[in-house]
Amino acid sequence: MDIQYDVIIIGCGPAGLTAAIYASRANLKTMILEGETPGGKLTKTYEIENYPGIKKISGVDLAMQMMEHGQEFGAELNFGKVVDVEDLGESKLIKLEDGQQFTCKAVIVATGTKERLLDVPNADQFTGRGVSYCAVCDGAFYKGKKVTVIGGGNSALEESLYLTQLVDQVNIVIRRDEFRAEAKTVEKVKSNPKINIVHKHLPHELVVEDGKVAGLVVRNVETNELTTLECSGIFPYIGADPATDFLKNLGVLNEAGYMIVDENMATKVKGIYGAGDVVVKDLRQVVTATNDGAIAANSVARLLNE
Ligand code: NAP
């Protein structure tokens, strides 16, 4: 059987695109496969301030630059949702939802994570109409209004700060007393006069008036008391889960679905690597994703030269 590619990289965020640069510069025949939006989560991020050498850049701009750079040295870009990766020993078979199949000698999985959805009645019905998972995309609809952000991690706080540039008030609802974000971001949030922090509460139900979101009822986690926050937009940023359903048969995932890799980004299956937010790690950042992508591609080059 002819093996079509040296390496197929699944996922087009910072990890996958860095892997594409390193793999194609190492003269490997490389394909990048993207399921949804090229650029990954970066495209939903307002601003990046901690990528060395670039003091401040919008997520979309960095994603575009990485997309261009990722294809600069000959990597092919293809679109499609991967539903299975089969290990055939020396080759790997990648199956797509639309029936396409590709073979390669090694696979780098860089599919990142998918945001967790708001779990209150009717939330899905109002997604895109009052409930949004992308402040950068939808924030402008709420100019001069009140919005509520749920979550206390880096995403929730950074996107809340972005929203304060557009809206009159941002409620941030967190379920504990403490945030999970960088200290500098927490400081900025605490000192922003447009932000109202609601501690120790969980979302309970949407308030809908005339077919539109008009508020969010939140429940005190200690007393169960219900409070209504008036708002016309709700932005849940309550974490994310790894996008690894298609890897379940390979035995390379931990209980939470993250890929278990060694310091070379290799899984226990020869020729299958992971990179970026999708692997087990402590620090999920653009810079750590690019780091993983470079290491994974270098490991593939070494394996194929053996
Ligand atoms: P995260 O760090 O996991 O934070 C999720 C937040 O949502 C936490 O405050 C969590 O509360 C809360 N939460 C979880 N489930 C909830 C529920 N069912 N109801 C209400 N609240 C809930 O997620 P993230 O902010 O999306 O970040 C993901 C990763 O990307 C992190 O590693 C983060 O550091 C990284 N990231 C980094 C940057 C940056 O460095 N600039 C920017 C964005 C993301 P608890 O704290 O109580 O669990």
Side-chain angles (χ1 to χ4, degrees):
M1 182 176 66
D2 268 356
I3 302 178
Q4 295 166 288
Y5 294 91
D6 289 321
V7 59
I8 292 184
I9 298 160
I10 309 175
C12 231
L17 293 169
T18 307
I21 295 171
Y22 277 73
S24 44
R25 288 192 82 229
N27 278 339
L28 302 183
K29 190 173 182 211
T30 305
M31 177 166 73
I32 325 166
L33 260 177
E34 172 54 33
E36 285 175 10
T37 329
K41 248 196 323 276
L42 264 186
T43 55
K44 292 184 174 180
T45 304
Y46 171 57
E47 214 163 59
I48 316 287
E49 279 187 342
N50 53 4
Y51 193 63
I54 304 178
K55 286 185 190 159
K56 198 177 265 196
I57 186 165
S58 83
V60 173
D61 286 348
L62 185 56
M64 300 277 282
Q65 289 179 23
M66 284 190 179
M67 273 305 293
E68 211 181 302
H69 201 171
Q71 295 168 80
E72 179 82 9
F73 305 102
E76 288 173 33
L77 176 64
N78 206 334
F79 290 87
K81 186 170 185 253
V82 176
V83 289
D84 194 27
V85 173
E86 236 177 86
D87 175 33
L88 308 174
E90 292 304 301
S91 75
K92 319 291 166 199
L93 177 64
I94 298 195
K95 296 180 180 169
L96 270 56
E97 196 175 47
D98 63 7
Q100 288 187 83
Q101 298 197 347
F102 299 103
T103 51
C104 55
K105 295 175 187 163
V107 179
I108 298 175
V109 178
T111 42
T113 56
K114 265 199 104 51
E115 67 263 4
R116 287 189 197 130
L117 304 181
L118 179 61
D119 186 20
V120 299
N122 298 329
D124 51 345
Q125 192 187 324
F126 285 92
T127 299
R129 302 193 299 126
V131 176
S132 167
Y133 295 88
C134 179
V136 179
C137 321
D138 298 331
F141 293 125
Y142 303 98
K143 266 187 190 157
K145 297 181 179 171
K146 292 180 183 172
V147 297
T148 297
V149 171
I150 305 156
N154 277 314
S155 301
L157 300 204
E158 288 179 7
E159 300 314 310
S160 293
L161 289 167
Y162 165 67
L163 285 165
T164 58
Q165 299 172 35
L166 304 166
V167 305
D168 274 1
Q169 190 189 321
V170 179
N171 301 306
I172 301 181
V173 178
I174 59 170
R175 62 184 178 181
R176 293 186 293 141
D177 245 351
E178 281 173 40
F179 291 104
R180 195 186 271 277
E182 273 177 17
K184 187 166 174 273
T185 311
V186 173
E187 258 171 50
K188 280 191 197 167
V189 160
K190 284 186 173 168
S191 62
N192 191 307
K194 281 192 176 177
I195 293 181
N196 166 42
I197 301 165
V198 183
H199 295 275
K200 293 193 177 179
H201 278 74
L202 278 170
H204 184 69
E205 67 180 5
L206 303 181
V207 180
V208 178
E209 283 170 11
D210 300 327
K212 287 184 185 159
V213 169
L216 178 70
V217 178
V218 291
R219 178 177 62 81
N220 185 306
V221 294
E222 285 170 353
T223 64
N224 282 329
E225 194 183 328
L226 299 179
T227 308
T228 300
L229 301 170
E230 188 198 321
C231 59
S232 39
I234 297 169
F235 291 86
Y237 282 103
I238 54 176
D241 295 307
T244 50
D245 280 357
F246 60 96
L247 292 177
K248 280 197 173 130
N249 298 330
L250 288 177
V252 297
L253 307 178
N254 74 2
E255 278 174 12
Y258 288 95
M259 293 180 78
I260 302 166
V261 292
D262 64 15
E263 70 275 18
N264 298 315
M265 309 316 292
T267 67
K268 67 178 185 188
V269 179
K270 194 173 173 191
I272 308 266
Y273 298 79
D277 284 5
V278 76
V279 306
V280 177
K281 58 154 93 176
D282 278 341
L283 189 60
R284 294 194 165 81
Q285 304 272 300
V286 180
V287 75
T288 61
T290 56
N291 161 80
D292 293 353
I295 294 173
N298 188 52
S299 301
V300 170
R302 259 205 331 250
L303 175 79
L304 300 189
N305 278 334
E306 264 171 21

